[in-house]
Amino acid sequence: MRKTPNIIFALFIPIFAVWFIWTWGFCRFYVDSDEMAIVTANNGKPLPPGQILAGKGQKGIQKDVLGEGRHFLNPIMYKRDIVRTVTILPGKVGIVTSKIGEELPEGEFLAEPNQKGIWRKVLGPGKYRLNPYGYQIDVVDAISIPIGYAGVLTSLSGKQITNNQYAQKGEKGVRKDILQPGLYYINPKEFKTDVLEVGINQVSLLGKDGGEIITKGQLESQSAPMEALQSKVLLDQKKKRMDYLKENVQSFRRIEKKPESGKMEKTQRASRQLMMEDSMQTFELSEFVEFPSRDGFKISIDMTVEIELMPDKIAGIFSQYGDLPALVDKIIMPQITSISRNKGSEYGAKDFIIGEGREKFQNELTRALATTLGEKQIVVHNALIRHVEVPAQILDPIQQASIAIEQNLTNMEKQNTAKKEAELNTQLTLIDQQRQQVGKETEKLRAEIVADQEKQVAEIKADAERAVAEIAKDTAGVEANTVRVLAQAEAHALKMVEGEKANGLKLKTKAFDDPVAYGLWELAQKLNTNVTINIIHAGEGTLWTDLEKTGTGELGGALMIQQRQEGKRKQ
């Protein structure tokens, strides 16, 4: 019983070792982050006819791919191919063409993810692992609309709409909604994008030398990749316009006659401008305005018309007329030439030389163009007359007459100026006289004011001194009265004090009823408080002689003398 587990354990170890070596040594493989593994099954059910990719249990290239990480596949049962993933950078878009899926309906060429054909949905920036045997990814540039431009979308799939209508979802034609400046990931197979300038553009007619369209310049973007995308969009726009010019040579062409040297340089310069890859696009026109005047003279004018295409109207304009060169060719140029000739024929040749007549013609031309083109959603701001070419046989006399008139007006103005100068000198003289008179009157007024001020000051000073004297008088009276009252008070107080002192002495004397006693009392009051009394006992005949030895001095002697006198009085 104990041998069986040992045998099983002994067999398990080599089997596990063989499995480990086979799995980790031959079946294991890695797929990096920017790679994917395409798996081909060597065994399984055969694929039905027309099927390209195999599912689980089928033989052939498997539809699902393996992403990054560690994987284990039997190298005998499966074959693996590691390829790179499809990376779409910013500013790019991926167009997927599916080789698998259901067939598209008749008349439709854009597919959904489960259908065969070009996907309607595009792939934005990122990494994608789609089996290259079943899907083809074409990376193209995204659509970048520069500032100052608008993108008009034309749907290429769906049901065809009738004329003068906007295409809705599922319909083919121009969409009403436009693309504002920015970056868009749009399927170029689903939509055609045309970039048109919004805002003000110029159409210049250069007389017999032809004309040109000058469009707005491209504004600089904030990043190099975005600027490159915008440049590509504008170059594509320019190529489309050049193709239109070549196909419509009757409207946009070189001047057939041999120009003069100066005009040749101008034409060559315009040609170089046309081919330059810069932001300012200039297209040469063969149209020019020439008409007979009311008095039968041939007039040729150079003008510049400023037009503006509004963003909310740009889709409708493009739907009806096409791009800017087509718009100028079909609408703007015919209206400019027609209205200019009609209005110009109402004026005489002289009106185009004199400033007032030309200004009136320019204003009427601007209003007529604004009304006519405004009905077609085109805004006209100005129609500027830059130069008028008039035949020399009428130009010279009119110029001479105009010069004479202007010279006469100049002489008249000079005379008026001289008169004005004389009047000015007279007025200046009068002003100087008035200035002197005003100065004298001012000095007189100043002296009167000073005298009046001095008089007022003296009066105020006298009043002040009189008031001070009155105050001093009153003060002296008060002081004298004060002295008198104080003297009376002091005398009265002295009288009362001395009288009371006398009454006090009188009372004291009366109280003692003896002048000697009162005198002794007064003496006692004035004695020094430090006086001491010594009592000496002596025998007969020795008191007076021994009194000096007691140290009493003169005071003791005086007392003994006083006592002796009192004894004699009593006897």
Side-chain angles (χ1 to χ4, degrees):
M1 295 295 292
R2 294 179 178 177
K3 294 181 178 180
T4 301
N6 294 333
I7 294 172
I8 294 175
F9 184 73
L11 293 175
F12 176 75
I13 292 177
I15 293 173
F16 177 77
V18 172
W19 174 84
F20 183 81
I21 294 173
W22 169 257
T23 302
W24 287 83
F26 296 94
C27 299
R28 179 175 56 90
F29 64 96
Y30 288 93
V31 178
D32 290 336
S33 60
D34 56 349
E35 295 178 343
M36 61 181 174
I38 301 174
V39 180
T40 303
N42 296 328
N43 294 315
K45 295 180 181 181
L47 297 178
Q51 183 175 346
I52 299 175
L53 300 180
K56 292 184 179 181
Q58 292 181 323
K59 181 181 180 180
I61 301 172
Q62 299 294 302
K63 178 181 179 181
D64 296 331
V65 298
L66 300 179
E68 61 179 311
R70 182 190 300 121
H71 301 277
F72 298 91
L73 282 180
N74 190 329
I76 299 175
M77 302 296 294
Y78 299 96
K79 176 186 175 183
R80 63 178 184 270
D81 294 321
I82 297 178
V83 298
R84 300 188 67 84
T85 59
V86 177
T87 301
I88 300 178
L89 301 176
K92 302 290 183 179
V93 66
I95 310 299
V96 180
T97 302
S98 176
K99 303 176 185 178
I100 60 175
E102 300 177 1
E103 296 294 334
L104 294 176
E106 185 178 356
E108 186 61 59
F109 65 92
L110 294 179
E112 300 301 328
N114 59 344
Q115 294 177 330
K116 183 187 297 184
I118 302 173
W119 281 7
R120 187 183 303 273
K121 180 181 179 181
V122 297
L123 303 180
K127 293 182 180 181
Y128 298 91
R129 294 183 175 88
L130 293 178
N131 198 322
Y133 291 96
Y135 303 94
Q136 176 184 341
I137 301 178
D138 297 318
V139 180
V140 298
D141 291 328
I143 300 298
S144 179
I145 308 299
I147 297 176
Y149 292 77
V152 179
L153 293 177
T154 302
S155 178
L156 303 177
S157 65
K159 182 181 177 182
Q160 184 63 47
I161 61 173
T162 59
N163 294 333
N164 300 327
Q165 290 184 356
Y166 292 109
Q168 304 297 328
K169 186 176 181 180
E171 294 180 339
K172 183 187 298 185
V174 178
R175 293 288 186 94
K176 182 178 181 179
D177 296 333
I178 62 173
L179 301 181
Q180 299 293 341
L183 184 64
Y184 298 90
Y185 296 100
I186 296 176
N187 192 339
K189 303 293 183 181
E190 182 181 8
F191 295 103
K192 180 173 72 73
T193 305
D194 292 278
V195 179
L196 276 76
E197 297 86 346
V198 293
I200 297 178
N201 298 280
Q202 293 182 355
V203 178
S204 296
L205 302 179
L206 308 178
K208 294 183 179 180
D209 295 334
E212 59 187 9
I213 308 172
I214 302 178
T215 66
K216 64 168 62 252
Q218 176 190 0
L219 299 179
E220 294 183 0
S221 60
Q222 297 181 352
S223 63
M226 187 67 68
E227 186 175 355
L229 289 175
Q230 293 177 357
S231 298
K232 184 179 182 303
V233 169
L234 294 179
L235 288 175
D236 293 341
Q237 175 206 52
K238 190 172 183 179
K239 183 178 180 303
K240 293 178 183 178
R241 292 177 174 179
M242 291 295 297
D243 294 339
Y244 179 85
L245 297 179
K246 293 177 181 178
E247 295 174 1
N248 296 270
V249 293
Q250 68 277 8
S251 297
F252 292 83
R253 65 180 185 274
R254 300 291 182 191
I255 307 302
E256 298 297 337
K257 68 176 184 178
K258 184 177 181 180
E260 299 175 4
S261 58
K263 296 181 179 179
M264 175 66 75
E265 292 178 359
K266 184 176 183 180
T267 304
Q268 292 175 351
R269 183 168 60 253
S271 177
R272 287 194 299 271
Q273 257 186 341
L274 187 65
M275 299 305 295
M276 286 176 60
E277 295 182 357
D278 58 1
S279 59
M280 185 69 71
Q281 297 184 11
T282 303
F283 301 96
E284 184 182 356
L285 305 175
S286 62
E287 295 285 348
F288 59 90
V289 178
E290 188 177 61
F291 53 85
S293 63
R294 185 179 57 195
D295 44 7
F297 294 96
K298 186 177 291 186
I299 306 298
S300 177
I301 62 175
D302 295 353
M303 71 168 62
T304 296
V305 180
E306 292 182 345
I307 61 173
E308 182 176 5
L309 304 180
M310 307 303 293
D312 57 337
K313 308 295 182 182
I314 197 73
I317 294 174
F318 181 81
S319 176
Q320 295 183 28
Y321 311 116
D323 198 2
L324 184 60
L327 176 65
V328 175
D329 180 28
K330 298 176 182 178
I331 301 299
I332 297 177
M333 286 300 302
Q335 293 297 333
I336 291 177
T337 54
S338 176
I339 294 175
S340 299
R341 289 165 183 166
N342 292 337
K343 293 293 182 181
S345 299
E346 299 176 0
Y347 290 82
K350 183 179 179 181
D351 297 328
F352 293 98
I353 301 174
I354 300 175
E356 294 180 358
R358 188 164 68 179
E359 182 179 0
K360 182 180 179 182
F361 169 71
Q362 176 177 285
N363 294 334
E364 290 185 358
L365 178 61
T366 300
R367 287 193 294 269
L369 286 174
T371 301
T372 304
L373 295 180
E375 298 174 355
K376 303 182 183 301
Q377 311 301 329
I378 302 172
V379 179
V380 176
H381 290 283
N382 289 299
L384 304 176
I385 305 300
R386 300 189 301 180
H387 176 69
V388 178
E389 185 176 348
V390 180
Q393 62 267 29
I394 187 174
L395 178 61
D396 291 340
I398 292 176
Q399 285 183 340
Q400 295 298 328
S402 298
I403 291 173
I405 293 173
E406 293 296 331
Q407 186 65 40
N408 185 30
L409 293 174
T410 302
N411 294 333
M412 293 176 63
E413 289 299 325
K414 288 182 178 180
Q415 293 178 359
N416 292 332
T417 302
K419 292 180 181 179
K420 295 296 182 182
E421 289 180 353
E423 293 177 359
L424 177 62
N425 293 330
T426 302
Q427 294 297 329
L428 291 175
T429 303
L430 293 176
I431 290 172
D432 187 58
Q433 293 176 357
Q434 291 178 358
R435 183 185 299 111
Q436 294 177 359
Q437 182 178 356
V438 169
K440 293 179 179 179
E441 292 178 356
T442 302
E443 291 295 331
K444 179 181 178 182
L445 290 174
R446 185 183 295 111
E448 292 177 353
I449 291 172
V450 171
D452 185 64
Q453 289 178 346
E454 292 178 350
K455 178 182 177 182
Q456 292 179 2
V457 169
E459 291 177 353
I460 293 172
K461 184 177 180 181
D463 292 340
E465 291 177 351
R466 182 173 64 255
V468 169
E470 292 178 355
I471 292 172
K473 177 182 177 182
D474 294 340
T475 302
V478 172
E479 289 178 351
N481 188 33
T482 301
V483 171
R484 181 175 57 79
V485 171
L486 289 175
Q488 292 177 355
E490 290 178 355
H492 182 70
L494 182 61
K495 178 180 179 181
M496 293 184 67
V497 170
E498 294 299 327
E500 291 298 325
K501 286 181 180 180
N503 291 331
L505 292 175
K506 182 178 180 181
L507 291 174
K508 288 178 181 180
T509 305
K510 185 178 180 180
F512 280 95
D513 196 21
D514 186 1
V516 175
Y518 177 75
L520 292 176
W521 182 82
E522 284 290 336
L523 177 63
Q525 288 293 327
K526 296 180 179 179
L527 287 178
N528 191 350
T529 56
N530 294 327
V531 174
T532 59
I533 300 173
N534 295 325
I535 300 173
I536 301 172
H537 298 278
E540 294 181 0
T542 61
L543 175 61
W544 309 112
T545 58
D546 294 336
L547 187 59
E548 244 177 35
K549 299 178 181 179
T550 60
T552 57
E554 295 178 356
L555 179 60
L559 289 174
M560 285 188 281
I561 293 172
Q562 185 177 0
Q563 290 177 0
R564 188 182 299 163
Q565 290 176 356
E566 289 179 358
K568 287 181 179 182
R569 255 192 328 269
K570 290 179 180 181
Q571 292 176 1

